[in-house]
Amino acid sequence: MANINTAGVDPTKMGVGRAIAVLTSGGDAQGMNAAVRATVRVGLYTGAKVFFVHEGYQGLVDGGNHIRPATWESVSMMLQLGGTVIGSARCKDFQTREGRLKAAYNLVKLGVTNLCVIGGDGSLTGANIFRTEWSDLLKDLISKGKIINEEAKASSHLNIVGMVGSIDNDFCGTDMTIGTDSALHRIIEVVDSITTTAQSHQRAFILEVMGRHCGYLALVTALACGADWVFIPEMPPDDGWEDHLCRRLTETRNAGSRLNVIIVAEGAINKDGKPITCDQLKDLVTKKLGFDTRATILGHVQRGGTPSAFDRVLGSRMGVEAVMALLEATPETPACVVSLSGNQAVRLPLMECVQVTKDVTVAMTEGRFDDAIKLRGRSFENNWNTYKLLAHVRPPETKSNINVAILNVGAPCAGMNAAVRAAVRIGLIQGHNMLAIHDGFEGLAEEKIEPITWNTVGDWTGKGGSELGTKRVLPGKYMEEISLNIAKYNIHALVIIGGFEAFSGALEMVQGRGKYEELCVPMVIIPATVSNNVPGSDFSIGADTALNTITTTCDRIKQSAAGTKRRVFIIETMGGYCGYLATMAGFSAGADAAYIYEEKFGIRDLERNVEHLVEKMKTTVKRGLILRNENCNSNYTTDFIFNLYSEEGKGVFDCRKNVLGHMQQGGTPTPFDRNFATKMGAKAVLWLTEKLKECYRHRRIFANTPDSACVLGMRKRGLVLQPLAELKEQTDFEHRIPKNQWWLKLRPVMKILAKYKISLDTSEHALMEHVISKKPPVHMTLTK
């Protein structure tokens, strides 16, 4: 997040006398509207004038009615719309100097010297050319008598900031481009639908997804649906792949699976650079194996539909950062792109990113495929390695004689099963025996323990809830029975997947080590809960699915108010004492306020919020949305807030309330949760395998050091393991939340986007980072 209160400057005066134009260019992507909305609103908040440029660069060249002032209300109800409301067009004119001269003239006449471009690498490269030519263009305009010296002086320098909107995620330097997560949502909806019909008929399905030069969508889809094979442009299959593929499909069938899934990126090629197509694969499978085979090409479905919660938050955060980068830029600052790395906002030099993106294409053309994957970034590489392990490596003949047990603890959430599947399969690949414990710690005490096999977990990635069964019971009262069963079943390591109960239960197990030697085995906790309240991780499995459920529901609720006008909805979300869901849903649904436990509020605040809504009803936007975390305040209940708003809003607006309840824990996991859970499950077992080697002494496993019981979490930019003992100090046990939570610093932004005139001062400054100096260029992160 940018440090908006720079050197004592009043953030609401930062943009006074400045003008910003925003345009979307190239292929559309879901979430572009969120970025446009944030750019407009934060621009207006700083006191700047903001202009929409309609129809991309074509509108910039044509000028006139294509460049219009943007208002606060003009971006209302944009968040949930796919595509781009201000239009996008491929523009030949802008590629000529004559076209750029017209564009410069149009901007100078409006006094615009800040341009925010949302598009792919082509669009951003075009913007950079425009910027480097700017002073020459101004000279030409003066010599042609189009503008006078004073106008040229006032517009002497053009600042440019880019945001990458592309469903392919093909831009190096950024973790996730706007639209990628939503495209994955569309793909996974189709895959889930296809698998049900494929299983009915025992069919093989071949699915072509977008990605002419980048296999990201195909790769993550393969991970998220447990596909048998994936073809991507960055890594063509080895010679003789046809036989290998047929062998794989036959093995899967013989093992009892009723379907086969093959994912193909549209740009997939073989080692000679020749395309690998859906039809080619269909012929191969039909002729060689005689399988009933169907091919589906998804096409533009992937670009459509509403943006996911992730893309809305991503677009909004990038929009804020873009305005700050523009207003803080000097003539010496290189054109930059704003991006997310993990959950950190970063600024990267535009042309460095473009260069690395081009380097990938060159590496692929020259057949340096390992380099191509490395240049895509550590996260792409991690996805590829995880996919190879899970899909291509078979369990070894020789066993390790290690028994690893897996259990789910706490409330169920979407993505738990994907984590179990990855952990089981990676464990079997390591040669371990894998044991499933049903019903959490209680099941461990009551001997609900059985072996779990490769095929048992085959189709678990897309299943919601917990197939193993889960309970909130803590191990404290069962220590005797648990230690006996660990000895009886010869359990050498534990994978505990769950929420705050998994964390506190594991702590009890560690404390019990002094009395029960059997508990001295390595343990890893994988955070999985909709509440996202486990210490040691910025994200927990299941939170993204819950957030999308809340966001979709809020969209529908807001839509219902469009006809009635003057209506305010009060919605209660889950989360225990953790305000993550309420805050992030506030971001992605465009709420007017989100009440949470972590940010204390009183009657004066409630009064201010009501007055704010009364003012809002005087504008063209005649609806309000208020979110309340279930435990934010024991006295200001949902009913109390509903009654207060109903009374104070009499004659101005009426109120409705909804308690969303357990629908937030259900549903099939989102692509993000499937991919995140798969990587967490794999990493957890790989770490345990190493830890077991360290703890093997005198022909037995003995682990009692603090670092033998860890939480595996996502921290800023990577997956890290942290000892429970360390995390204990960082935990508020009474309210079951970490003492410091990263997302709290986003709350002021949410309020500004809801038109509150508050001061936005956050101390973390997003500085310009370099991409070229280090190769591979970017950091491993969560989202890819």
Side-chain angles (χ1 to χ4, degrees):
M1 219 32 262
N3 176 3
I4 297 189
N5 214 342
T6 312
V9 178
D10 176 355
T12 60
K13 302 277 189 296
M14 256 179 97
V16 173
R18 315 273 295 272
I20 299 170
V22 57
L23 66 89
T24 52
S25 171
D28 65 317
Q30 310 95 321
M32 279 183 165
N33 291 324
V36 169
R37 171 180 177 268
T39 306
V40 168
R41 289 193 169 175
V42 176
L44 294 171
Y45 161 84
T46 64
K49 274 186 185 166
V50 186
F51 292 90
F52 287 135
V53 180
H54 290 265
E55 312 310 330
Y57 284 123
Q58 195 62 56
L60 206 58
V61 174
D62 295 345
N65 204 28
H66 285 97
I67 307 176
R68 287 177 239 162
T71 63
W72 197 273
E73 285 95 61
S74 63
V75 291
S76 182
M77 285 302 268
M78 258 170 89
L79 259 180
Q80 61 268 48
L81 300 175
T84 162
V85 170
I86 58 175
S88 175
R90 310 268 177 201
C91 175
K92 290 268 189 293
D93 294 348
F94 194 74
Q95 291 168 13
T96 66
R97 187 181 163 84
E98 195 49 45
R100 293 193 289 275
L101 197 64
K102 286 180 186 168
Y105 170 77
N106 292 328
L107 290 182
V108 171
K109 284 295 180 191
L110 290 167
V112 174
T113 54
N114 299 284
L115 191 58
C116 177
V117 179
I118 306 164
D121 59 341
S123 308
L124 300 183
T125 309
N128 194 60
I129 293 168
F130 190 38
R131 177 179 183 267
T132 46
E133 287 181 351
W134 185 255
S135 51
D136 290 340
L137 294 170
L138 293 189
K139 282 175 196 160
D140 281 12
L141 289 169
I142 292 170
S143 65
K144 289 182 178 177
K146 292 272 184 90
I147 62 170
I148 55 174
N149 278 324
E150 281 67 33
E151 287 176 312
K153 215 170 255 161
S155 303
S156 62
H157 177 70
L158 180 69
N159 295 319
I160 285 198
V161 170
M163 291 183 250
V164 192
S166 158
I167 65 164
D168 296 342
N169 206 20
D170 55 358
F171 193 79
C172 293
T174 62
D175 266 359
M176 283 292 262
T177 56
I178 295 168
T180 306
D181 188 64
S182 303
L184 286 168
H185 273 254
R186 295 301 88 78
I187 297 167
I188 291 298
E189 282 159 17
V190 171
V191 173
D192 285 352
S193 305
I194 277 177
T195 47
T196 51
T197 170
Q199 280 173 331
S200 309
H201 296 278
Q202 292 202 41
R203 280 184 175 144
F205 261 93
I206 300 158
L207 205 68
E208 184 190 288
V209 300
M210 280 186 171
R212 207 167 308 141
H213 306 293
C214 178
Y216 181 82
L217 289 176
L219 181 52
V220 174
T221 300
L223 273 178
C225 72
D228 294 291
W229 200 289
V230 67
F231 292 94
I232 60 171
E234 289 87 348
M235 189 52 82
D238 294 329
D239 294 335
W241 60 267
E242 294 90 345
D243 292 338
H244 188 175
L245 171 65
C246 292
R247 203 165 55 246
R248 158 77 44 74
L249 299 181
T250 310
E251 276 172 19
T252 314
R253 279 292 167 95
N254 292 344
S257 172
R258 293 180 61 86
L259 87 153
N260 300 105
V261 178
I262 300 166
I263 308 289
V264 195
E266 64 177 322
I269 48 173
N270 64 17
K271 278 271 194 312
D272 303 325
K274 293 195 170 63
I276 293 175
T277 65
C278 262
D279 290 340
Q280 195 182 329
L281 291 167
K282 185 181 172 185
D283 289 348
L284 173 73
V285 176
T286 312
K287 284 175 185 159
K288 265 203 136 178
L289 300 176
F291 286 180
D292 187 3
T293 309
R294 297 285 187 276
T296 303
I297 296 173
L298 283 191
H300 279 73
V301 165
Q302 296 159 84
R303 280 196 195 282
T306 66
S308 64
F310 182 92
D311 273 330
R312 298 183 198 194
V313 174
L314 176 68
S316 301
R317 288 184 67 186
M318 281 191 185
V320 177
E321 193 60 51
V323 173
M324 291 308 132
L326 282 171
L327 296 181
E328 288 168 12
T330 64
E332 287 70 51
T333 319
C336 76
V337 274
V338 292
S339 168
L340 274 200
S341 178
N343 59 24
Q344 303 283 99
V346 292
R347 298 178 191 177
L348 306 162
L350 170 62
M351 291 321 288
E352 284 187 25
C353 296
V354 169
Q355 187 53 53
V356 180
T357 306
K358 284 180 177 159
D359 290 348
V360 179
T361 316
V362 172
M364 281 155 57
T365 313
E366 293 175 358
R368 292 183 289 110
F369 296 109
D370 285 334
D371 289 351
I373 282 195
K374 279 197 168 59
L375 285 163
R376 280 267 181 245
R378 254 177 60 200
S379 149
F380 192 97
E381 204 178 349
N382 282 342
N383 280 329
W384 176 248
N385 291 336
T386 307
Y387 160 74
K388 275 197 308 192
L389 265 181
L390 287 170
H392 287 246
V393 182
R394 281 287 166 263
E397 295 301 314
T398 50
K399 293 280 182 240
S400 66
N401 294 324
I402 293 285
N403 300 321
V404 178
I406 303 181
L407 65 159
N408 292 166
V409 179
C413 71
M416 275 183 163
N417 298 321
V420 172
R421 175 183 182 270
V424 167
R425 289 197 163 181
I426 295 288
L428 293 170
I429 286 165
Q430 302 284 315
H432 308 327
N433 300 310
M434 302 305 288
L435 299 170
I437 299 169
H438 298 277
D439 301 336
F441 289 117
E442 190 181 280
L444 182 52
E446 293 173 357
E447 279 194 68
K448 294 181 182 173
I449 305 167
E450 61 178 12
I452 187 164
T453 64
W454 185 273
N455 292 330
T456 311
V457 294
D459 60 350
W460 281 22
T461 317
K463 287 188 173 176
S466 162
E467 292 286 305
L468 291 182
T470 179
K471 288 204 170 170
R472 292 176 182 270
V473 179
L474 292 175
K477 57 180 180 180
Y478 294 115
M479 259 343 155
E480 187 85 30
E481 296 87 339
I482 284 174
S483 57
L484 287 170
N485 286 333
I486 287 177
K488 181 176 176 181
Y489 287 86
N490 205 9
I491 294 170
H492 301 111
L494 284 170
V495 178
I496 305 166
I497 302 167
F500 201 85
E501 287 88 356
F503 176 74
S504 36
L507 268 173
E508 287 182 8
M509 298 273 279
V510 170
Q511 281 154 5
R513 281 173 170 178
K515 190 174 175 189
Y516 302 101
E517 208 176 272
E518 295 83 356
L519 302 179
C520 294
V521 295
M523 308 174 199
V524 63
I525 291 87
I526 299 178
T529 164
V530 300
S531 305
N532 196 25
N533 63 336
V534 179
S537 192
D538 293 346
F539 296 95
S540 55
I541 295 164
D544 186 67
T545 305
L547 184 55
N548 276 285
T549 304
I550 299 168
T551 304
T552 312
T553 309
C554 288
D555 285 352
R556 290 180 179 177
I557 285 171
K558 274 169 76 175
Q559 208 172 25
S560 76
T564 46
K565 302 275 192 285
R566 299 182 184 279
R567 181 162 284 177
V568 174
F569 287 93
I570 290 139
I571 294 171
E572 182 187 299
T573 68
M574 274 185 169
Y577 284 95
C578 177
Y580 176 81
L581 285 179
T583 299
M584 292 318 235
F587 239 107
S588 57
D592 294 284
Y595 299 121
I596 63 168
Y597 165 77
E598 291 92 340
E599 194 176 279
K600 302 288 177 250
F601 61 96
I603 196 72
R604 294 282 163 273
D605 302 292
L606 292 169
E607 204 176 351
R608 257 195 304 279
N609 295 151
V610 173
E611 284 162 8
H612 186 261
L613 281 172
V614 169
E615 284 307 304
K616 190 179 178 183
M617 296 299 160
K618 293 174 185 169
T619 70
T620 54
V621 187
K622 300 194 188 307
R623 77 201 149 259
L625 179 68
I626 304 291
L627 294 170
R628 178 188 174 276
N629 160 266
E630 58 185 352
N631 289 346
C632 66
N633 188 303
S634 54
N635 293 316
Y636 297 137
T637 60
T638 303
D639 286 339
F640 176 92
I641 290 174
F642 169 73
N643 292 336
L644 176 80
Y645 274 72
S646 300
E647 181 58 36
E648 296 298 318
K650 258 188 193 159
V652 183
F653 57 78
D654 63 349
C655 293
R656 296 286 185 275
K657 67 172 182 223
N658 284 66
V659 176
L660 297 185
H662 278 74
M663 65 187 281
Q664 295 163 85
Q665 282 181 0
T668 54
T670 55
F672 178 95
D673 276 333
R674 296 182 196 200
N675 187 19
F676 186 37
T678 300
K679 285 207 267 200
M680 294 278 270
K683 171 98 176 178
V685 175
L686 292 172
W687 176 79
L688 281 177
T689 305
E690 289 308 305
K691 198 43 84 183
L692 286 162
K693 288 175 192 164
E694 283 174 34
C695 303
Y696 188 71
R697 288 188 210 89
H698 312 301
R699 305 188 58 171
R700 53 178 281 217
I701 303 287
F702 184 77
N704 67 346
T705 54
D707 68 351
S708 64
C710 285
V711 171
L712 172 61
M714 173 73 213
R715 279 288 202 204
K716 288 188 177 172
R717 295 184 172 185
L719 294 181
V720 289
L721 286 131
Q722 288 165 280
L724 284 167
E726 277 177 28
L727 293 170
K728 193 178 172 183
E729 306 307 313
Q730 303 167 23
T731 308
D732 170 356
F733 282 94
E734 186 191 345
H735 299 103
R736 299 158 51 96
I737 50 175
K739 287 177 184 169
N740 295 310
Q741 301 184 85
W742 67 272
W743 50 266
L744 283 168
K745 66 176 185 288
L746 298 183
R747 284 186 60 84
V749 179
M750 185 187 77
K751 292 174 188 171
I752 282 168
L753 293 175
K755 211 174 183 178
Y756 281 91
K757 284 284 180 198
I758 61 159
S759 178
L760 186 49
D761 179 18
T762 52
S763 53
E764 282 190 37
H765 198 75
L767 296 169
M768 188 81 84
E769 299 189 6
H770 289 281
V771 190
I772 298 262
S773 55
K774 47 183 183 188
K775 291 196 177 174
V778 241
H779 346 265
M780 140 137 205
T781 64
L782 136 121
T783 27
K784 283 194 186 167

